[in-house]
Amino acid sequence: MNAFKLSIFLALCSFAASLNNPDSSTLPRPLIVENPQSLLGRVVDVEHGSGEEDLRMHCQSWRFGVETNNIRSWKTVPVECADYVKNYMMKRGYVYDLEMVAKEAGNYARTVQLVGDGNDIWIFDIDETLLSNLPYYVDHGFGLEVFDGSKFDKWVELGSAPALQASLKFYKEILDLGFKVFLLTGRSEEQRGVTEENLRRSGIERWDRLILRGKGDHGKPAIAYKSERRVQIEEEGFRIRGNSGDQWSDLLGLCMANRSFKLPNPMYYID
Ligand SMILES: *[C@@H]1O[C@H](CO)[C@@H](O)[C@H](O)[C@H]1NC(C)=O
């Protein structure tokens, strides 16, 4: 991680230096610099329609902003990106991204040296991390509609959310490697029963702890609730070696894991 950061830093520095260097034209440069004219004065004007390709790139930029947490606290998918998000979710894009996250998380997890006292844990979020609510979102515009908590709770009560296959495989690998698995979800304690049933039905059959929002947690931003729980977990002596979640509020805050893995989710944002 530090070496990676350092190499980026050095790369930026050497690029910046080359800009001041009169001989920089002899250095390899990104293509984008070769023909600045083609980029000048171009504005993506979605409303006036500048073509399918520009709309796709605009929505890709939006998704990049969302996944990097540059764009925060958004309530719905932008209207013009409804089809883009639908295609991403329903075609292979989403699955490819999930597989990439699982692969990288697996690569890291295999390098972790477990102490062997049973205190090395991996935290998983549930919704859009282990279980998929895509069947619900298919019927609710893939995030185009404002989130309706009571409708969503009815879906949760069905207990029929399927597992995300890449996450399921990774979760099993985590167990095989000897980590303890803690599930930390924004679902409420009243949904414990149906959540356990749903997990088992989807192939997630073992966990060491399932933490849901208790009475005192309602109305708390997820980032505060999840941070508090991680603090407690570490106070008990556990080491949070990894954390997987589709929301930045699953991953940021206090007692962050040694490595956090952000799964894709362009359908909704939780503070
Ligand atoms: C993991 O995180 C803990 C708590 O932040 C820290 O003390 C520890 O040094 C980290 N371990 C590694 C291997 O980075």
Side-chain angles (χ1 to χ4, degrees):
M1 176 101 169
N2 284 336
F4 177 69
K5 268 190 187 154
L6 184 65
S7 69
I8 292 256
F9 181 65
L10 291 175
L12 287 175
C13 283
S14 54
F15 181 68
S18 76
L19 292 178
N20 295 325
N21 180 344
D23 293 329
S24 65
S25 60
T26 58
L27 298 170
R29 291 182 299 173
L31 258 184
I32 205 164
V33 182
E34 299 296 336
N35 191 5
Q37 230 29 57
S38 67
L39 287 160
L40 289 177
R42 273 185 65 192
V43 176
V44 176
D45 188 343
V46 172
E47 252 160 311
H48 295 90
S50 52
E52 246 172 65
E53 180 70 357
D54 285 285
L55 179 58
R56 194 181 57 75
M57 286 190 289
H58 160 74
C59 295
Q60 206 162 281
S61 293
W62 175 79
R63 193 167 66 82
F64 178 79
V66 158
E67 294 300 354
T68 52
N69 211 21
N70 290 335
I71 302 173
R72 299 185 182 189
S73 304
W74 48 279
K75 300 293 176 220
T76 58
V77 167
V79 173
E80 72 275 14
C81 297
D83 283 344
Y84 172 86
V85 171
K86 179 183 174 181
N87 285 337
Y88 171 76
M89 295 303 296
M90 299 302 281
K91 296 185 181 167
R92 299 285 297 156
Y94 183 48
V95 169
Y96 268 95
D97 284 348
L98 289 168
E99 285 172 353
M100 186 64 77
V101 176
K103 184 177 136 217
E104 292 302 320
N107 285 345
Y108 160 68
R110 285 188 293 276
T111 69
V112 175
Q113 305 240 313
L114 300 190
V115 175
D117 57 359
N119 282 344
D120 291 299
I121 72 164
W122 197 284
I123 296 180
F124 288 92
D125 167 55
I126 294 182
D127 293 294
E128 267 59 63
T129 298
L130 287 174
L131 297 180
S132 173
N133 298 300
L134 195 51
Y136 173 86
Y137 282 96
V138 165
D139 292 334
H140 293 88
F142 300 93
L144 199 62
E145 290 176 19
V146 178
F147 181 73
D148 182 330
S150 62
K151 277 188 197 162
F152 185 74
D153 282 349
K154 280 192 188 126
W155 151 257
V156 168
E157 286 305 320
L158 298 176
S160 57
L164 290 165
Q165 288 312 301
S167 299
L168 179 60
K169 196 168 151 247
F170 171 63
Y171 149 85
K172 287 181 174 163
E173 195 179 349
I174 281 294
L175 285 175
D176 288 345
L177 287 168
F179 291 91
K180 281 209 161 81
V181 166
F182 282 22
L183 309 179
L184 178 52
T185 174
R187 290 185 177 200
S188 80
E189 195 60 59
E190 289 91 74
Q191 294 167 321
R192 178 180 288 275
V194 72
T195 299
E196 289 183 344
E197 271 172 44
N198 196 151
L199 287 165
R200 294 207 171 91
R201 195 176 294 156
S202 307
I204 296 142
E205 287 161 353
R206 282 174 49 204
W207 53 83
D208 295 281
R209 215 176 271 190
L210 169 59
I211 304 165
L212 305 100
R213 275 182 195 256
K215 287 217 163 53
D217 298 316
H218 292 297
K220 252 180 220 169
I223 192 163
Y225 153 68
K226 293 200 169 184
S227 285
E228 283 171 19
R229 296 310 178 99
R230 283 197 306 272
V231 169
Q232 290 166 358
I233 287 168
E234 288 207 351
E235 279 172 358
E236 285 180 57
F238 294 107
R239 292 174 296 273
I240 307 171
R241 309 311 295 267
N243 187 2
S244 300
D246 66 294
Q247 299 290 322
W248 283 100
S249 55
D250 296 328
L251 309 173
L252 298 176
L254 304 171
C255 290
M256 286 169 59
N258 287 122
R259 284 275 314 259
S260 297
F261 291 89
K262 171 68 173 72
L263 281 73
N265 186 354
M267 298 190 300
Y268 60 87
Y269 186 94
I270 299 174
D271 280 297

